[in-house]
Amino acid sequence: MAMVAEFEANLNHLRTREGMAKARAKGRLKGKQPKLPLAARRTIHRRYHDPDDDASLADLTEEYSVGRSTIHRSTIHRFISGTAPRA
């Protein structure tokens, strides 16, 4: 009985993977989208590291209406390609 259940679970796993591959090929499987557009992330990074601009994490958090961790990720990563680096 357990063998049948394992076989069905494997079939379900394979079908799911096939569906995801098809969706990815069509460009419909993108994953979680960033909270801020690339231009905003670049501006946050520039403003936070600019010695002439005294913007703090709290200031940027309030200005962009996002969480502190979102701002922090934008300040520590260089977003060149538009996607966040994998952790």
Side-chain angles (χ1 to χ4, degrees):
M1 192 63 135
M3 205 164 78
V4 174
E6 184 179 354
F7 177 72
E8 286 179 356
N10 286 340
L11 279 178
N12 190 20
H13 178 75
L14 289 174
R15 286 187 194 123
T16 301
R17 290 290 172 187
E18 287 173 5
M20 289 174 67
K22 287 179 184 178
R24 195 175 291 118
K26 290 181 181 179
R28 296 181 187 206
L29 186 66
K30 298 180 183 178
K32 186 173 180 179
Q33 300 299 307
K35 298 263 185 202
L36 295 169
L38 180 59
R41 289 181 284 165
R42 284 186 175 154
T43 301
I44 290 168
H45 188 273
R46 182 182 43 77
R47 285 186 58 199
Y48 186 76
H49 293 290
D50 184 7
D52 297 332
D53 192 350
D54 60 345
S56 67
L57 283 177
D59 295 337
L60 294 169
T61 299
E62 191 172 317
E63 182 178 336
Y64 286 93
S65 302
V66 293
R68 200 174 160 91
S69 59
T70 302
I71 298 294
H72 188 257
R73 277 192 304 273
S74 296
T75 61
I76 61 173
H77 296 300
R78 249 349 258 261
F79 294 99
I80 309 250
S81 66
T83 59
R86 295 216 174 239

